[in-house]
Amino acid sequence: MSTTSSQSSSSRIVSNHEPALRTLSEVRSQAASELVVRALRKGETVDGVHINVLTTSCKTDDVAFLVTLGGTIQRRLATQDHIFAAATTGTPVTRDSNFLVICASTPDFILRADILTRSKFIGRCQIFSLKDLISVPEYVEYGVQEGTMLVAAIREFGGLTYDLAAVWDVLRKSARTPIDPFHAPPWSVGIEERLALERAKLIRSTAAQAFEELRVPEVRIPTVLVDIRPAAQRAQYGEIDGAMVVERNVLEWRFDPRSSARVAIANRYDLRIIVICQEGYTSSLAAVSLQELGMLNATDVIGGFKAWKEAGLPLLLPEQIYVDERDDISSVASI
C-alpha cells in the first residue's frame, strides 16, 4: 500500500518538473536573439550609426520572424543610433516574394531607406503599409507604429548578385548625416582634386612622345592609340588615321581581357594603351580606369588631340617598328 502510494507521489513529482512546451513565439524569439547576438559583433559604422545586413532562409512565417529580428535589434540597441536590415533568401515558401525588414533607431532613417529601397528594386518591390501589417502580432508588439521599421516584399531577392549589395547601399546612404544641399559633403572629392589624384597614378606622355612610342613600341609590347572622343568631336576637329576609335562609354568592356566584348588586341595585361581625348582631361580618368582593370601600362596624351595638332604631328600613324633586344635603337630610328 505504502509502496503504491510512494510510486504515485514520485510520479506526481516528476510530472510537476516536466518542462512546459514552448510556444512558436518563444521559439522564434530565441532564434532571433541568437542571430542578433552574432550580427551585433560585426557590421559597420557610418557617421556614428551602427549598420548590418542579416539574411535567413525562407520560412512559412517570414514576416513574423523578420519583425521579431528587427524588434530584438531595436531593444538591444535602444540607446545607440542604428539601422539594420534582415532579409529572406532562397525560394519563398508561401508566396512569390522574399521579405525584407529594415529597422532603425529613428523614423528619419526609415524614411530615407523607404525611398532608396523603392528606387533600388523598381518593379520588384512592394512596401507594406501599417494597415497591411496590423494583423501581425509581432508588428504591434515591437511598437512599429512609431515608424521605426519598414517591411517590404521583393520578388526574386537574392537572385541577382546585386541585391545584397543594394541593401547595404541603402543602409549606408540612410545612415549618413544629412547635409546642406548647397555645400559639398565632407567625404566628397571635387573633380579638379580627383583629376589631380588620378593623374598622380599615370606617367603621362606628350603628343610627340606618344607619336614616337607608337612608331617604335617598347620591346615586344604591343602599343595602341585609343581615341575615346564621341563622333561629333571627331567630325568637328578631325581624327588620327590608325588610332583605334573606342568611345568612352564602352572603353572598359573593350579593354578588359576578361570581358566577352573585348577587342582582339586586348588579350594581355601588358598591352600599352595610350588614350587620347580632345584636350587631355577625360583621357586621364579613362586611363586610370583601365589601370584598375589590370591594364597597368595604360596612360594618356597631355593636351589630347588639340596638342597633337598644335605640335604639327601627322594625322596618319606610321607603321610600327618592333625592335628586338639585340638591335641598336639608334640605327632603327635613322631608317
Side-chain angles (χ1 to χ4, degrees), residues 182-241:
F182 298 102
H183 290 82
W187 44 264
S188 65
V189 176
I191 186 58
E192 295 299 334
E193 183 182 355
R194 182 186 169 197
L195 184 62
L197 290 170
E198 301 294 49
R199 281 178 172 170
K201 303 172 185 176
L202 301 171
I203 301 176
R204 306 182 72 207
S205 298
T206 64
Q209 289 170 337
F211 179 79
E212 184 60 22
E213 188 173 351
L214 288 159
R215 192 178 76 86
V216 186
E218 293 289 334
V219 179
R220 293 192 300 275
I221 298 179
T223 303
V224 60
L225 180 67
V226 180
D227 189 341
I228 62 171
R229 295 175 299 158
Q233 273 193 334
R234 298 196 308 273
Q236 181 178 355
Y237 298 106
E239 48 191 309
I240 301 170
D241 191 6

Side-chain angles (χ1 to χ4, degrees), residues 11-61:
S11 64
R12 282 198 300 273
I13 292 172
V14 171
S15 62
N16 287 339
H17 286 80
E18 287 179 354
L21 292 175
R22 293 188 298 170
T23 65
L24 177 60
S25 178
E26 290 171 334
V27 172
R28 188 184 294 135
S29 294
Q30 181 179 346
S33 295
E34 292 172 357
L35 272 175
V36 169
V37 167
R38 291 197 293 269
L40 294 181
R41 296 192 190 118
K42 301 179 181 178
E44 299 178 5
T45 301
V46 176
D47 290 351
V49 181
H50 192 39
I51 69 171
N52 205 347
V53 178
L54 297 76
T55 57
T56 182
S57 56
C58 292
K59 305 171 183 62
T60 55
D61 57 343

Side-chain angles (χ1 to χ4, degrees), residues 242-256:
M244 181 178 290
V245 175
V246 179
E247 293 194 8
R248 179 66 190 88
N249 62 324
V250 295
L251 181 69
E252 288 82 358
W253 282 267
R254 298 294 182 263
F255 283 96
D256 183 354

Side-chain angles (χ1 to χ4, degrees), residues 253-311:
W253 282 267
R254 298 294 182 263
F255 283 96
D256 183 354
R258 292 158 291 205
S259 171
S260 60
R262 69 174 177 82
V263 292
I265 198 173
N267 62 352
R268 51 192 292 170
Y269 286 93
D270 63 349
L271 178 65
R272 177 65 164 168
I273 306 169
I274 303 175
V275 184
I276 191 168
C277 66
Q278 184 58 31
E279 295 186 1
Y281 293 93
T282 305
S283 58
S284 295
L285 301 180
V288 171
S289 180
L290 292 178
Q291 286 194 358
E292 290 171 350
L293 293 177
M295 311 302 284
L296 300 182
N297 284 328
T299 191
D300 75 321
V301 177
I302 298 170
F305 181 76
K306 181 180 178 183
W308 187 286
K309 285 193 72 174
E310 289 175 349

Side-chain angles (χ1 to χ4, degrees), residues 50-126:
H50 192 39
I51 69 171
N52 205 347
V53 178
L54 297 76
T55 57
T56 182
S57 56
C58 292
K59 305 171 183 62
T60 55
D61 57 343
D62 284 339
V63 173
F65 182 69
L66 292 180
V67 170
T68 301
L69 270 177
T72 304
I73 291 167
Q74 288 179 323
R75 289 179 176 178
R76 294 289 185 94
L77 297 177
T79 60
Q80 301 177 44
D81 286 336
H82 65 272
I83 177 166
F84 275 56
T88 59
T89 57
T91 304
V93 176
T94 57
R95 52 184 292 169
D96 64 349
S97 298
N98 296 87
F99 290 95
L100 170 71
V101 165
I102 298 178
C103 65
S105 51
T106 70
D108 285 345
F109 291 149
I110 294 298
L111 286 174
R112 297 174 213 159
D114 186 319
I115 295 169
L116 290 165
T117 300
R118 292 176 192 270
S119 66
K120 294 286 186 182
F121 300 100
I122 293 176
R124 298 167 56 198
C125 174
Q126 176 193 354

